[in-house]
Amino acid sequence: MERTVECGKLAAAVVRSIDELGRAADDAIDAEDFGEFTAAVEKEVEELQESTGDAEVAAAAESVLDALDEIAQAAENDTEPDLSPLGDAADELTAICSPG
């Protein structure tokens, strides 16, 4: 099944949001602001899940959501979040949504 241009656009939006999330983590913002960043990424990923019937895209999107949950839990516990699983999941999503 050919993946849509929408998949690529949303994957790019997710990656941009993840970059912002990384900068927010580096700036040591408070948990509430950090939660706003994670919520923005979650919204974009959920839009992607809703817009595709592709199981591979849905699985990659779910990996992003799982990583976001771990980050949110770390922020709530005032521990430094490990962003590497989120980066890995975003890379997977981008690779799946990229044409070719």
Side-chain angles (χ1 to χ4, degrees), residues 6 8-9 17 38 51 59 64 67 96:
E6 190 68 18
K9 287 180 183 178
S17 295
T38 58
S51 71
V64 172
I96 290 169

Side-chain angles (χ1 to χ4, degrees), residues 2-91:
E2 184 177 319
R3 297 201 168 80
T4 66
V5 172
E6 190 68 18
C7 178
K9 287 180 183 178
L10 282 169
V14 168
V15 170
R16 282 191 302 275
S17 295
I18 289 169
D19 287 342
E20 291 174 13
L21 186 61
R23 285 191 295 278
D26 289 342
D27 292 341
I29 62 173
D30 66 37
E32 183 177 329
D33 289 340
F34 200 74
E36 290 177 18
F37 280 102
T38 58
V41 177
E42 286 175 357
K43 181 180 179 200
E44 290 170 346
V45 173
E46 288 167 354
E47 287 175 9
L48 176 59
Q49 286 178 310
E50 292 170 7
S51 71
T52 185
D54 188 302
E56 194 173 19
V57 172
E62 191 63 36
S63 294
V64 172
L65 292 175
D66 290 344
L68 285 170
D69 284 343
E70 290 178 23
I71 291 167
Q73 288 175 4
E76 288 174 8
N77 294 328
D78 291 326
T79 59
E80 185 175 341
D82 178 8
L83 300 180
S84 59
L86 181 58
D88 294 344
D91 289 346

